[in-house]
Amino acid sequence: MHFHILTLFPEMVLQGLHTSILARAMERGLISADAVNIRDYTMDRRHGRVDDYTYGGGAGMLMQAQPVYDCIEAVQSSLQKRARVVFLTPQGRVFNQSIAAELAQEEELILLCGHYEGIDERVLEESVDDSISIGDYVLTGGELPAMIVVDAVSRLIPGVLGNGASAETDSFQDGLLEYPQYSRPEVWHGRKVPDILLSGDHAKVDAWRHSKALDRTRERRPDLFQAYMQNHPEEKAAGKNLPDGCN
Ligand code: 4GS
């Protein structure tokens, strides 16, 4: 997977991504990320400006259509075939694991990061295929959202996580939150690791973990729990993890 991140702050994005697991995946050629500076496409030779006032007035500046358009076109024409262009914005569909899995199917992705108050609507209409929000809050720029998308998508690319199993057992892969986990020592601050995890009985351990994942999801994320139960009617029938009167 090749990510092309269009931004006014390329060094921020590159620094954040060339670390830890993603750095190793890049060294191994499983993913690549390049940051393209939108400012390089300004027509303002004198000041290098890419923003301007908004028609209709009001506070704040807007990124102009032309440098954003030319930047996208430059990247698109460097590719074998046109890539999906994703704009990071609070107005997009809210990012989740299934959107990450959908994006992981692409070979190339162009991620467009806004700054200031936003981007001229006309270039969004013309050049953007998809808008994604990482959540209902307002940031100063789209760089962190782009990095989040790169991270979540990359770990779904085969080989990026050392252990092939981990991508599947983590939270959300099956629609449930993760069960609690413990490492050494067996007792810490008087708190003991649950006996069943020391039993060596793998079937029992699996059943315990699944039950804890259900408990946790029901308590902390009733929205996810309801969706999971709708997709797994057999568990509902067994009446697992439901308080009295719920089934
Ligand atoms: C988000 C978000 C965001 C909106 C960028 C105001 C600067 C800012 N982008 N998910 N202009 N939440 N973008 O807050 O994606």
Side-chain angles (χ1 to χ4, degrees), residues 18-229:
H18 282 85
T19 310
S20 185
I21 295 174
L22 297 190
R24 196 191 57 178
M26 291 186 202
E27 281 159 21
R28 293 166 64 205
L30 297 169
I31 59 168
S32 74
D34 58 73
V36 186
N37 195 337
I38 296 168
R39 201 176 298 283
D40 291 347
Y41 295 86
T42 179
M43 294 289 209
D44 177 11
R45 308 258 283 297
R46 203 199 282 250
H47 299 105
R49 284 183 57 164
V50 293
D51 62 322
D52 208 334
Y53 297 98
T54 56
Y55 281 114
M61 308 292 279
L62 210 58
M63 282 168 78
Q64 294 169 281
Q66 173 271 318
V68 172
Y69 179 77
D70 288 352
C71 187
I72 294 172
E73 285 307 302
V75 173
Q76 292 282 29
S77 30
S78 76
L79 305 175
Q80 301 272 355
K81 62 179 186 103
R82 291 183 80 82
R84 178 150 152 190
V85 179
V86 178
F87 176 43
L88 289 311
T89 168
Q91 298 178 47
R93 48 192 185 132
V94 180
F95 193 54
N96 60 21
Q97 194 63 28
S98 70
I99 297 176
E102 176 194 321
L103 296 180
Q105 302 305 308
E106 305 278 348
E107 244 162 72
E108 312 264 354
L109 269 182
I110 297 177
L111 300 172
L112 173 60
C113 306
H115 237 272
Y116 313 114
E117 296 309 305
I119 300 183
D120 189 307
E121 190 67 21
R122 293 167 295 183
V123 66
L124 300 178
E125 287 170 5
E126 195 150 314
S127 300
V128 168
D129 302 306
D130 198 358
S131 292
I132 289 176
S133 165
I134 60 154
D136 293 338
Y137 35 79
V138 183
L139 302 167
T140 58
E143 285 74 17
L144 288 168
M147 289 160 72
I148 284 169
V149 169
V150 170
D151 191 290
V153 170
S154 294
R155 64 186 290 293
L156 297 177
I157 308 292
V160 168
L161 296 183
N163 166 10
S166 7
E168 286 136 45
T169 58
D170 278 349
S171 287
F172 295 117
Q173 203 65 35
D174 59 1
L176 291 176
L177 299 183
E178 244 179 313
Y179 47 79
Q181 300 187 87
Y182 307 86
S183 182
R184 290 200 293 180
E186 231 176 275
V187 182
W188 179 82
H189 283 204
R191 299 165 189 270
K192 219 187 153 302
V193 174
D195 283 329
I196 206 155
L197 299 178
L198 310 172
S199 70
D201 184 335
H202 293 301
K204 273 200 177 144
V205 168
D206 286 349
W208 182 88
R209 286 179 167 167
H210 184 61
S211 153
K212 289 291 173 191
L214 285 169
D215 286 348
R216 240 181 208 198
T217 309
R218 177 167 46 77
E219 281 160 21
R220 301 182 186 184
R221 293 293 304 274
D223 55 326
L224 294 180
F225 185 74
Q226 200 187 358
Y228 179 86
M229 280 308 178

